[in-house]
Amino acid sequence: MTRPAHPPLRPRLSLGLRFARRPMLATGLCILGAFVLMAVFAPVVAPYDPILQNGDITLLPPSLAHPFGTDNFGRDLLSRVIWGARIDLQIAVIGVVFPFLIGTVAGTVAGFFGGWVDASLMRLIDVVLAFPFLVLMLSIITILGPGLGSFYIAMALVGWVSYARLIRAQILVLKTQDFAVAAQSLGFSRLRIMFRHLLPNALAGSLVFVMSDAVLVLLNGASISYLGLGVQPPLAEWGVMVFEGQGFLNQAWWITLFPGLAIVVLAFGFSLTGDALADLLGVKE
Amino acid sequence: MTADTTSAGATVPVLSVQGLTVSVRSGGSERALVEGLSFDLARGETLAIAGESGSGKSLTSLAVMGLLPPPSLRASAGRIMFGGQDLLHLPEGAMRRIRGRRIAMIFQEPMTSLNPVMTVGAQLTEAISAHESLPRGEARARALAALQSVRIAQAERRLSQYPHELSGGMRQRVMIAMALALKPDVLICDEPTTALDVTVQREVLDLLRDLQRETGTALILITHDMGVVAEMASRVIVMREGRMVEEGPAQRIFAAPVAQYTRDLLAAVPRMGDGSGAAVLPVAESVVRLTDLRVRFDIRGGLMQRVTHRVHAVEHVSLQINQGETFALVGESGCGKSTIARAIVGLVPHEGRIEVAGQPLQDLTAEGRRALCRDVQMVFQDPMAALDPRMRAGDLVAEPLVIHNIGSDAERRGRTAGLFERVGLPPDAMARYPHEFSGGQRQRICIARALALRPKLIICDESVSALDVSVQARVLALLEELKRDLGIAYLFISHDMAVVENIADRVGVMYLGQIVETGSRAQVFGNPLHPYTRRLMEAVPIPDPGYVRAPLPRLSGEIPSPVWPAGEAPQRLRLVDMGGGHLVAQSNPTAEIAA
Amino acid sequence: MHRYRFVLFRPLQLVPVLFGISVITFLLVRLIPGDPARILLGTRATPSALANIRTQYGLDEPVWLQYFYFLKNLGAGEMGRSTLYKVDVLKLITTRIEPTLALVGMGVFLALLIAVPFAALSARRQGSLVDHAVRLVSTAGLGFPSFWLGAMLIIFFAVRLEWLPVSGYGETFREKLSHLILPGLTIALSLSAVLTRTLRAAMIAGLASDVATAARARGMPESRVFWRHVVPNALVPTVNLLAVNIGWLIGGTVVVESVFAIAGLGQLMVRGIFTRDYMVVQGVTMTFALATVLINFAADIITVTLDPRIKL
């Protein structure tokens, strides 16, 4: 008997095998990995400076020297898209983490304890949900003033709601399942049941949701920057770049096309990973 | 058509299955789930295909209907001859004209088989006009006639109702009405009564037998229940793991089974007797005593969310379970038997008095309740749902020891290993996850976990109901052995009268939240006095084709609801001692069901 | 009919939500640092106007009293005055609400027109090439930013092909319709990605359900099984999904109106934020919230109609 009394919680996966059998997961993770590498090594990978203007080479169409073309200030769009990965990945990650943490704690507590804690939390959620997502975020940014910091605060104030609802609903279902009842009848403490038995089972669903939420956060961040209320020019952010291309739709389509495509591909990576995780963890949406 | 060919039709089978093989394709290779199955179905006869889960009996019925779900499942060999044609090679259009019109089918779950967003009438008329182009009014008249033929009360009103507004028994009648509306030659019933309460099962079986007699439809009855087989079938096929084990007339199969598997299967079937043979238990101290227990759930509604109704789940129940005895609570779904179990372990709020090992529950502190948890343990119906899917079996069984700070790591490991051995699981099972076990093994894990704290009482809430008969018999034997060796008492909650008679020392029969009859096994089964007890016992299918059931009026009563408007309550039953602790309810609101 | 009784008392249950909405929109302006009177009137306000607004909104009183002044004014239909347009905010909103409503309607209509057939095609041929294509496109579609998609549609249909106008809204019905197609399509394409995925999943579950098997066993043709027994049951989760996403959809119009320069509520709000026209921002925020609440209420009624089991 060399086995430890408490082996690790998760089943040991033969990782390589599972990976090969799941092309969706592999593709999704490869896309995400590529963007992370691009962001980390932007100074090395990008052929030109993303911000420096050059009046001689404005509005050049895609060519070998400038594969994505140049914009009206003569900046290389490929370099700007690569540097943009830094900001947009940061938006997707930070914009998800805080809502996730706040929502998970709130949802678990509400679902487990019920009563007035649950009732008041649900009323608050009802009110937040009564506002269109983007409109409430814009209102908060109105108070705080434009900028990326305001965006993160607004995201945390509005985004936790979906996690809280999701976790709460899961906890409510799990609470009545036989294994939770069995744990209660075995005399386990409430904290142990809540965090050791219920939360790990509820988290599977929200991990999948994290991926689709990352897409929404990314789109939101880019949209708000597009409207001029998030990341400010001349920083290279994909939403800002699409806005900058807006004035040249009839003469320089490439300014708009490539940053948008970057968003689409990154979002696709998140969605694929989310779908594959849902498959893997047996989560129904 | 069917009536004038009865004598000649006996020789020409209406349906003939020859060498049928159903295979599943997964990962490039094909595996046979049903192999080389052959049988003939004569006009007007009832053929039962019996077997446990995984025997391939349901796949056989889907193959006959041409409804094997593509692309993974297909009939890979054999012929299904019907009306001179091989159904396996019939084009889909022609097959569709046969389905429903000449071969009909009813399913196990009437609730999920009926479309929830269409009225009963719309579904019936749709089933009829799928095969016969009739004017709307005439189709509706046919639908009404079909409903009346299955003896549904207020048939006219049912036409405009939705499935969820009907009881389970009525839904299955609607399914039967739909299946028989076009007078098919063959009716396939796939576990038609498995989801129903035993008294409702009785009504549906009676109805099926009557209708078959009237219409001359040949019946294929697919079931795991040997009692149902004995009551309905003239001929039986026993299947196991995709192969036919034995075939023959019902009389012969039950009287002189040839195959070893059939013999084992029949031996495992719990049988009802007269309650005799119970060992007389010495008087022991009580483990649990309930006095005037009441459990009610509020239903809120309306603008202010006031309590408008209450579910009277348990009403004035008093009972006592002594050390080392098995007390069984029997009753149909919704009678409150499981609620009592949850009240004892403190999972639902209750009124009245619950004493565990002499300690009244309401006086206990949180600390005391934890100690109480050691004395009372539960084993549930669905072992998969009761085990946290993310933990290893060994950890699951050891967890109660960890929580209650019992022993060192090494001691716990030793004790866990001992428990696995005790319930008949191999030691390497400790490292595996719940989904890697079979249903019976999972229930053994649950039992091992319940034993970990050396409880005085184990509550078995329908703990063997989801298991196959042979597995069920082995788990029951394990429970019996544990009782004998460890002196544990059981509160055994079940809907199955035959199982109860085989395991219980004392019995309480519940109806609508109250106990209507209680006493020793010999008293209740040997001399049932309350009409509801009798009705329950008479409803149980007897696994003996020779058994002649006393003619009873055909019933279609519905169990009344335990929901009462706020401020009202059901009448309290008075239990009278008929001698030797045999208590029977006297004042009788259930008179109408006995009529 | 008693299943529809909730229509009578649900508005009363909405009182807490409406209370919450009013508190948040009230706080929206009060939380902005600076003199509230100047915030409301702008920097070039006259001293007499500043004094007037102080009495009207009780700006010298404690905050909770200010809230009651706010409610009182709101009850009188008084939402303040735009510093930019020099008109009452309520009047401004009523003139700008039509394009936004039309845009949402067009978006939902086109989204259903796209999602239902593709989901049906995909579900009925599960595992086929068509199915894989639909799944791939709808998964990718989840991540299409509407501001970019709109621009792409403009480049292709308005600039290259010159089929449709680039931006604006127009005067006559025909003009409005042609101006709405591209922005409507922008919203619809994003929405239909979500809708298609949900519908497809619900339809596949429905096709494998006991209801479908039982219908086939009665000899129903496959198309009838699908349209009568699978689709109606798949619509219920879809309506729920639409209701949940309605807030997201309305928020989307803010961006799409900016892309296509449509003078609707969303554009009004964005311009309000930039020009510090806070009364307008407040009014539009509240209007959007009320619209969301109303649409969710309507979705409840539709759900109850679609599924006889649901009681509210």
Side-chain angles (χ1 to χ4, degrees), chain B residues 65 67 96 99-100 103 105 107 109 112-118 126-127 130-131 162 164 175 178 302-303 305, chain C residues 9 12-13 209-211 213-214 216-222 224 228-230 232-233 236 306-309:
Chain B
M65 294 299 285
L67 288 176
R96 201 160 58 228
R99 264 185 229 136
I103 307 179
M105 184 165 176
F107 299 84
E109 268 294 343
T112 55
S113 306
L114 287 166
N115 189 338
V117 303
M118 277 171 84
E126 187 196 31
H131 295 284
Y162 289 95
H164 72 275
M175 289 298 289
M178 256 193 264
L303 180 55
Q305 295 295 303
Chain C
F9 57 78
L12 285 166
Q13 286 176 343
S209 71
D210 289 355
V211 173
T213 313
R216 283 184 203 117
R218 269 174 251 133
M220 304 287 164
E222 195 56 31
R224 193 176 173 86
R228 286 282 289 185
H229 294 278
V230 173
N233 285 298
V236 179
L306 282 178
D307 191 338
R309 286 169 299 179

Side-chain angles (χ1 to χ4, degrees), chain A residues 75-130:
Chain A
R75 296 175 294 198
D76 176 56
L77 281 166
L78 176 64
S79 305
R80 280 179 72 72
V81 167
I82 292 174
W83 278 88
R86 284 200 161 185
I87 298 179
D88 283 279
L89 265 183
Q90 186 197 334
I91 287 177
V93 173
I94 299 183
V96 165
V97 167
F98 289 105
F100 174 76
L101 291 179
I102 301 172
T104 300
V105 173
T108 311
V109 170
F112 191 75
F113 289 105
W116 67 268
V117 181
D118 185 38
S120 37
L121 188 86
M122 285 312 284
R123 289 295 83 74
L124 182 59
I125 290 178
D126 282 348
V127 172
V128 174
L129 282 179

Side-chain angles (χ1 to χ4, degrees), chain C:
Chain C
M1 268 305 100
H2 65 279
R3 292 200 306 123
Y4 288 96
R5 219 166 41 196
F6 77 97
V7 174
L8 291 178
F9 57 78
R10 174 56 63 88
L12 285 166
Q13 286 176 343
L14 287 176
V15 167
V17 171
L18 296 176
F19 171 75
I21 291 176
S22 68
V23 169
I24 288 187
T25 42
F26 166 75
L27 286 178
L28 173 64
V29 169
R30 289 318 120 96
L31 284 178
I32 295 170
D35 173 10
R38 284 205 180 275
I39 286 169
L40 293 179
L41 290 184
T43 39
R44 280 176 297 169
T46 61
S48 67
L50 287 173
N52 269 343
I53 199 136
R54 286 209 172 90
T55 34
Q56 192 193 349
Y57 283 91
L59 294 180
D60 297 326
E61 312 277 355
V63 173
W64 62 272
L65 256 183
Q66 290 184 29
Y67 173 69
F68 281 104
Y69 277 98
F70 169 77
L71 278 191
K72 205 180 99 191
N73 286 316
L74 206 61
E78 174 66 61
M79 292 170 102
R81 206 175 150 78
S82 161
T83 50
L84 181 68
Y85 297 93
K86 314 286 182 218
V87 279
D88 281 349
V89 170
L90 189 63
K91 193 153 174 265
L92 199 56
I93 287 174
T94 48
T95 55
R96 295 294 194 94
I97 203 165
E98 186 215 306
T100 303
L101 279 180
L103 186 56
V104 170
M106 186 66 133
V108 172
F109 172 72
L110 289 177
L112 286 172
L113 210 62
I114 297 166
V116 174
F118 277 110
L121 200 67
S122 184
R124 294 186 67 176
R125 298 191 192 165
Q126 201 194 342
S128 70
L129 214 62
V130 183
D131 181 35
H132 285 299
V134 169
R135 282 181 66 189
L136 193 76
V137 172
S138 60
T139 305
L142 293 176
F144 279 27
S146 51
F147 54 88
W148 176 76
L149 193 60
M152 289 295 115
L153 292 176
I154 290 175
I155 290 176
F156 195 71
F157 289 104
V159 177
R160 283 284 155 91
L161 297 173
E162 297 184 8
W163 284 358
L164 291 160
V166 172
S167 61
Y169 188 52
E171 293 298 320
T172 65
F173 181 72
R174 276 184 68 96
E175 270 177 37
K176 286 175 180 177
L177 202 63
S178 69
H179 278 91
L180 272 177
I181 289 177
L182 285 187
L185 200 60
T186 307
I187 288 181
L189 286 175
S190 304
L191 184 61
S192 61
V194 188
L195 278 186
T196 307
R197 283 164 57 95
T198 311
L199 263 175
R200 175 182 173 275
M203 284 171 176
I204 284 175
L207 279 169
S209 71
D210 289 355
V211 173
T213 313
R216 283 184 203 117
R218 269 174 251 133
M220 304 287 164
E222 195 56 31
S223 63
R224 193 176 173 86
V225 171
F226 185 75
W227 291 108
R228 286 282 289 185
H229 294 278
V230 173
V231 173
N233 285 298
L235 280 180
V236 179
T238 309
V239 170
N240 282 333
L241 181 85
L242 265 179
V244 170
N245 278 310
I246 204 73
W248 176 82
L249 186 67
I250 290 180
T253 63
V254 177
V255 178
V256 173
E257 282 176 17
S258 290
V259 176
F260 289 92
I262 295 173
L265 286 181
Q267 205 200 30
L268 190 63
M269 178 171 186
V270 174
R271 188 162 295 176
I273 295 174
F274 278 116
T275 56
R276 301 176 190 281
D277 199 351
Y278 293 118
M279 288 301 225
V280 167
V281 177
Q282 189 182 44
V284 174
T285 303
M286 197 178 321
T287 310
F288 273 140
L290 289 179
T292 311
V293 171
L294 273 181
I295 292 174
N296 270 307
F297 184 43
D300 282 346
I301 298 177
I302 295 174
T303 315
V304 167
T305 311
L306 282 178
D307 191 338
R309 286 169 299 179
I310 292 173
K311 286 199 185 92
L312 289 171

Side-chain angles (χ1 to χ4, degrees), chain B residues 167-466:
Chain B
S167 69
M170 273 205 273
R171 283 181 213 136
Q172 197 58 299
R173 281 164 195 269
V174 171
M175 289 298 289
I176 296 172
M178 256 193 264
L180 291 180
L182 295 165
K183 309 218 178 330
D185 301 322
V186 177
L187 175 63
I188 302 175
C189 304
D190 188 355
E191 303 274 8
T193 56
T194 306
L196 305 175
D197 270 327
V198 62
T199 55
V200 183
Q201 160 169 307
R202 160 96 292 130
E203 293 158 16
V204 170
L205 290 180
D206 286 346
L207 175 71
L208 275 174
R209 203 183 302 111
D210 291 355
L211 289 174
Q212 189 203 16
R213 209 168 289 149
E214 288 162 22
T215 59
T217 300
L219 215 65
I220 298 180
L221 181 70
I222 289 170
T223 182
H224 70 283
D225 187 332
M226 294 309 280
V228 172
V229 171
E231 294 222 344
M232 301 291 292
S234 44
R235 227 149 42 84
V236 183
I237 290 174
V238 180
M239 284 184 73
R240 184 196 189 194
E241 285 165 8
R243 289 169 184 276
M244 184 194 290
V245 174
E246 187 163 4
E247 187 204 351
Q251 294 283 359
R252 209 267 299 147
I253 294 267
F254 280 87
V258 176
Q260 184 59 42
Y261 176 71
T262 316
R263 270 186 250 152
D264 294 345
L265 189 64
L266 286 171
V269 173
R271 278 154 210 274
M272 297 244 303
D274 55 4
S276 58
V280 181
L281 291 168
V283 179
E285 62 180 296
S286 81
V287 179
V288 166
R289 187 200 302 263
L290 311 180
T291 315
D292 200 25
L293 180 73
R294 281 151 288 155
V295 179
R296 289 156 190 174
F297 302 107
D298 294 342
I299 300 175
R300 290 168 193 276
L303 180 55
M304 301 308 290
Q305 295 295 303
R306 268 194 310 252
V307 177
T308 57
H309 291 78
R310 279 198 185 91
V311 184
H312 290 253
V314 178
E315 284 286 298
H316 309 291
V317 166
S318 302
L319 60 87
Q320 176 179 336
I321 304 172
N322 296 329
Q323 219 161 46
E325 79 168 350
T326 303
F327 186 96
L329 276 177
V330 281
E332 297 181 279
S333 50
C335 73
K337 52 193 192 302
S338 293
T339 311
I340 290 185
R342 294 194 167 214
I344 292 175
V345 292
L347 295 175
V348 291
H350 64 272
E351 298 165 62
R353 194 177 166 87
I354 299 177
E355 282 169 52
V356 176
Q359 290 259 18
L361 207 62
Q362 49 268 56
D363 301 351
L364 290 178
T365 58
E367 196 54 39
R369 272 172 200 273
R370 264 165 78 92
L372 171 103
C373 285
R374 294 192 187 192
D375 288 340
V376 182
Q377 289 298 316
M378 269 181 102
V379 176
F380 296 87
Q381 171 170 10
D382 179 0
M384 194 60 206
L387 298 172
D388 189 331
R390 280 156 209 283
M391 291 173 73
R392 287 171 199 268
D395 292 345
L396 282 163
V397 173
E399 197 181 15
L401 299 173
V402 178
I403 303 304
H404 291 269
N405 284 320
I406 297 170
S408 66
D409 253 20
E411 279 166 8
R412 277 184 218 140
R413 218 177 302 142
R415 200 151 148 187
T416 309
L419 286 166
F420 270 71
E421 195 191 330
R422 177 76 259 191
V423 299
L425 288 172
D428 65 316
M430 290 168 67
R432 286 190 269 152
Y433 287 90
H435 68 263
E436 298 172 63
F437 293 93
S438 71
Q441 287 175 319
R442 276 181 215 138
Q443 201 57 294
R444 282 169 198 267
I445 298 174
C446 290
I447 294 171
R449 180 170 63 172
L451 287 173
L453 295 172
R454 300 195 175 126
K456 297 193 173 77
L457 175 79
I458 292 183
I459 301 173
C460 299
D461 190 356
E462 299 278 9
S463 304
V464 297
S465 312

